[in-house]
């Protein structure tokens, strides 16, 4: 029986050789729907989910992005709903015999674009002017939280050029094997977060006093080579130890933190924005709450904007180890040099071993929401995630917690967890963050502005005060990938300049930082 639908049925096919396409219609399509080419749906298919364009025998390849994203677990006639229950996942590609530097075509330079930023003594540039209060241990979090609230209420209005004061709070510092393998990662992450360009080279640290992560270890961790001038603050570091005898009661602690903060606020308030080239932007790109539209709309638009930034001399970090692992051949092919390819392989191998130690594998990445949004498995998810990196050659690789040392397109190795990835990109030195979502998430960071990009117009409409860019117009044909990419590029410049606030900034909506700690807890 043929079924009439109010909206003309729309399928989106990525590559001519694909044998599946996704349903674009809001609410999906009912069983019996007849498409313009005569294809009739055997099953009701939700929005974003795949439809078989040909008859598939058991074991046949399921191809999307012209990549095998699965195999038919049983015979599936043309018009069937293709999902994780009727497919099996391909095995991971070996890390041997990968193409190296076979797809490195530098893009033409892009000139004439600038933004208004805060230049730091070390040459980095902030997009915001923020006082950060670092902590050595979770035990002091409540005190710092109380002090930050009072600083915002009583002191911040006196310093109009300072955007905010934030506590760098975390669940680390004691009860851990501080010298165990892997322990250097959270320590150098905290060390490098304190050096983020948005903090203006001024540093405060609050310590309890008895913790394993002592202030001198945080300021210059022995596992991290620190060159001259690379300390946590260009103007020196103020360390407050709550167990010191001078602190008589809770109010004494708060007053000491506030007095110290005021000195730093005075320095920050004297800073002014100045015209900076786009080469001073360091942008982290990430996706979360992904769906099948992520690789069709938002992530390709981000990839286009990534290429614009790199062409203009800027730096873009893409991450999420498990969400690029199945496309490692695509990445090594784009490595600028064999050394960059080797570094990519090294990070993938390290993470493979890390997952194996936990008796998990890459399939653990895909969430129930991802599957509900049409992503059958991590292979399909990875293909849509990688496109955020655009098409530029990959210029470098960072290990978890490392800080950037060069510009261009950089793979910053991180877990795919939204919060851990954002924290590690913050440590690497990003001053602006781009986050795409299809299912929707209120993700935000207090330390850098976060531009949120919706993969579907339905999400952008429903979460109108949480999403900054509607990339769903690409799926409906109202705009091209290039047009949305340029829109995003211009928004980045406006947000970086302080001309615009993102939705998360307006709402002061942000997540707690989450350290990656592969070391043991004692």
């Amino acid at each position: 029986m043929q079924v009439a639908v109010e909206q003309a049925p729309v399928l989106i096919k990525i590559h001519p050789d694909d044998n599946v396409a996704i349903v674009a219609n809001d609410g999906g399509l009912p069983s019996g729907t007849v498409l313009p080419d005569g294809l009739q749906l055997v099953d009701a298919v939700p929005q974003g989910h795949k439809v078989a364009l040909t008859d598939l025998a058991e074991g046949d390849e399921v191809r999307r992005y012209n990549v095998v994203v699965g195999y038919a677990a049983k015979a599936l006639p043309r018009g069937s709903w293709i999902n994780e229950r009727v497919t099996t996942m391909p095995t991971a590609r070996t890390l041997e015999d990968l193409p190296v530097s076979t797809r490195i075509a530098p893009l033409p330079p892009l000139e004439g674009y600038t933004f208004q930023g805060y230049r730091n003594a070390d040459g980095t540039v902030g997009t915001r002017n923020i006082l950060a209060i670092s902590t050595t241990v979770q035990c002091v979090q409540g005190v710092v939280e109380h002090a930050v609230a009072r600083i915002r209420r009583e002191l911040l209005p006196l310093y109009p050029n300072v955007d905010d004061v934030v506590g760098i709070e975390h669940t680390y510092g004691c009860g851990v094997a501080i010298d165990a393998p892997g322990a250097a990662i959270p320590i150098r992450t905290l060390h490098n977060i304190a050096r983020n360009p948005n903090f203006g080279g001024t540093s405060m640290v609050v310590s309890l006093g008895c913790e394993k992560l002592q202030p001198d270890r945080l300021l210059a961790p022995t596992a991290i080579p620190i060159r001259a001038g690379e300390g946590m603050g260009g103007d020196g570091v103020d360390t407050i130890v709550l167990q010191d005898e001078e602190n008589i009661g809770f109010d004494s602690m708060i007053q000491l933190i506030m007095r110290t903060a005021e000195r730093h606020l005075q320095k920050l308030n004297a800073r002014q924005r100045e015209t900076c080239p786009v080469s001073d932007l360091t942008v982290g790109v990430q996706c979360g709450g992904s769906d099948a539209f992520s690789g069709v709309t938002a992530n390709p638009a981000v990839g286009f904007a990534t290429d614009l930034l790199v062409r203009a001399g800027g730096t873009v970090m893409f991450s999420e180890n498990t969400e690029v692992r199945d496309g490692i051949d695509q990445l090594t092919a784009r490595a600028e040099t064999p050394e960059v390819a080797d570094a990519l392989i090294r990070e993938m191998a390290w993470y493979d071993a890390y997952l194996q130690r936990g008796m998990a594998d890459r399939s653990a990445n895909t969430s129930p929401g991802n599957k509900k949004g049409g992503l059958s498995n991590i292979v399909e998810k990875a293909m849509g995630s990688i496109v955020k990196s655009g098409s530029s050659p990959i210029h470098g690789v960072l290990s978890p917690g490392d800080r950037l040392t060069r510009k261009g397109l950089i793979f910053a190795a991180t877990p795919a967890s939204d919060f851990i990835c954002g924290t590690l990109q913050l440590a690497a030195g990003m001053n602006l963050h781009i986050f795409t979502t299809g299912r929707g998430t209120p993700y935000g960071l207090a330390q850098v502005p976060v531009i949120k990009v919706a993969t579907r117009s339905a999400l952008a409409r429903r979460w109108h005060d949480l999403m900054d860019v509607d990339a769903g117009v690409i799926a409906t044909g109202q705009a091209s990938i290039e047009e949305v990419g340029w829109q995003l590029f211009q928004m980045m410049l406006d947000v970086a300049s302080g001309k615009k606030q993102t939705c998360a900034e307006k709402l002061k909506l942000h997540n707690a930082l989450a350290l990656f700690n592969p070391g043991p807890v004692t």
Side-chain angles (χ1 to χ4, degrees), residues 350-362:
W350 187 94
Y351 210 78
D352 284 354
Y354 167 74
L355 290 175
Q356 189 174 20
R357 288 197 303 273
M359 294 184 289
D361 62 31
R362 72 200 203 287

Side-chain angles (χ1 to χ4, degrees), residues 129-133 147-148 150-166 199 202-204 235 238 257-271:
N129 192 26
I130 295 172
L131 171 60
I133 303 176
V148 165
R150 286 194 56 182
I151 294 167
R152 282 179 178 152
R153 185 172 63 249
E154 300 173 27
L155 298 180
L156 204 57
L158 305 176
Y159 302 97
N161 289 339
V162 182
D163 294 307
D164 202 359
V165 54
V166 298
F199 301 156
T202 179
S203 300
M204 286 179 60
D235 296 323
D238 282 314
I257 294 172
M258 292 181 69
R259 287 196 304 272
T260 306
E262 187 152 27
R263 293 200 302 270
H264 290 266
L265 288 171
Q266 290 168 356
K267 294 176 184 177
L268 291 172
N269 196 57
R271 290 156 54 80

Side-chain angles (χ1 to χ4, degrees), residues 133-137 140 144 204-208 238 240 242 257:
I133 303 176
S134 294
T135 59
T136 57
V137 67
V140 303
V144 171
M204 286 179 60
V205 178
V206 176
S207 159
L208 182 59
D238 282 314
I240 296 166
L242 298 187
I257 294 172

Side-chain angles (χ1 to χ4, degrees), residues 222-284:
T222 56
I224 311 166
I226 302 297
R227 293 186 290 271
E230 286 193 345
M232 287 174 61
D235 296 323
V237 181
D238 282 314
T239 301
I240 296 166
V241 180
L242 298 187
Q243 290 176 348
D244 281 356
E245 292 186 3
E246 65 184 287
N247 291 313
I248 311 299
F250 177 73
D251 189 63
S252 173
M253 300 174 189
I254 300 301
Q255 291 299 328
L256 179 56
I257 294 172
M258 292 181 69
R259 287 196 304 272
T260 306
E262 187 152 27
R263 293 200 302 270
H264 290 266
L265 288 171
Q266 290 168 356
K267 294 176 184 177
L268 291 172
N269 196 57
R271 290 156 54 80
Q272 299 289 330
R273 289 186 182 271
E274 61 182 80
T275 300
C276 301
V278 173
S279 57
D280 288 324
L281 270 181
T282 300
V283 179

Side-chain angles (χ1 to χ4, degrees), residues 13 39 49 53 76 85 149 169 195 205 232 270 275-276 331 394 434-435 442 457 459 476 494 498:
K13 182 179 177 181
L39 173 64
H49 283 249
L53 302 178
L76 298 165
R85 294 184 296 275
E169 299 161 354
R195 301 165 65 200
V205 178
M232 287 174 61
T275 300
C276 301
L331 302 187
I394 299 170
I434 311 298
F435 191 98
S457 293
L459 174 63
T476 58
D494 289 342

Side-chain angles (χ1 to χ4, degrees), residues 90-378:
T91 56
R93 171 157 186 167
T94 176
L95 294 175
E96 299 175 351
D97 300 321
L98 293 167
V100 174
S101 305
T102 58
R103 289 172 50 198
I104 47 170
L107 300 174
L110 181 67
E111 299 175 346
Y113 291 91
T114 60
F115 71 102
Q116 299 295 307
Y118 295 97
R119 188 163 297 283
N120 298 314
D122 65 357
T124 62
V125 172
T127 62
R128 295 294 182 268
N129 192 26
I130 295 172
L131 171 60
I133 303 176
S134 294
T135 59
T136 57
V137 67
Q138 185 188 18
C139 308
V140 303
Q141 179 170 330
V143 174
V144 171
E145 184 178 353
H146 191 97
V148 165
R150 286 194 56 182
I151 294 167
R152 282 179 178 152
R153 185 172 63 249
E154 300 173 27
L155 298 180
L156 204 57
L158 305 176
Y159 302 97
N161 289 339
V162 182
D163 294 307
D164 202 359
V165 54
V166 298
I168 308 301
E169 299 161 354
H170 54 87
T171 57
Y172 192 73
C174 209
V176 294
I178 200 76
D179 293 312
I185 290 176
I187 299 172
R188 69 171 175 246
T189 299
L190 288 170
H191 175 87
N192 285 328
I193 284 175
R195 301 165 65 200
N196 186 274
N198 283 0
F199 301 156
T202 179
S203 300
M204 286 179 60
V205 178
V206 176
S207 159
L208 182 59
C210 60
E211 64 272 20
K212 290 184 179 179
L213 182 55
Q214 288 288 298
D216 57 351
R217 184 77 174 267
L218 173 64
L219 299 177
T222 56
I224 311 166
I226 302 297
R227 293 186 290 271
E230 286 193 345
M232 287 174 61
D235 296 323
V237 181
D238 282 314
T239 301
I240 296 166
V241 180
L242 298 187
Q243 290 176 348
D244 281 356
E245 292 186 3
E246 65 184 287
N247 291 313
I248 311 299
F250 177 73
D251 189 63
S252 173
M253 300 174 189
I254 300 301
Q255 291 299 328
L256 179 56
I257 294 172
M258 292 181 69
R259 287 196 304 272
T260 306
E262 187 152 27
R263 293 200 302 270
H264 290 266
L265 288 171
Q266 290 168 356
K267 294 176 184 177
L268 291 172
N269 196 57
R271 290 156 54 80
Q272 299 289 330
R273 289 186 182 271
E274 61 182 80
T275 300
C276 301
V278 173
S279 57
D280 288 324
L281 270 181
T282 300
V283 179
V285 298
Q286 190 189 169
C287 51
S290 302
D291 67 0
F293 285 96
S294 295
V296 177
T297 60
N299 288 351
V302 170
F304 185 86
T306 290
D307 284 343
L308 295 177
L309 284 163
V310 173
R311 287 172 57 192
T315 301
V316 179
M317 289 180 286
F318 70 108
S319 298
E320 302 164 294
N321 289 6
T322 49
E323 294 186 18
V324 303
R325 175 63 175 81
D326 283 281
I328 184 59
D329 55 324
Q330 299 176 35
L331 302 187
T332 56
R334 290 169 54 199
E336 185 181 40
T337 64
E339 290 75 21
V340 171
D342 288 345
L344 285 163
I345 294 167
R346 179 195 70 223
E347 293 300 336
M348 294 302 110
W350 187 94
Y351 210 78
D352 284 354
Y354 167 74
L355 290 175
Q356 189 174 20
R357 288 197 303 273
M359 294 184 289
D361 62 31
R362 72 200 203 287
S363 68
N365 170 282
T366 318
S367 71
N370 295 152
K371 294 175 182 178
K372 191 173 181 179
L375 296 173
S376 295
N377 56 44
I378 186 55

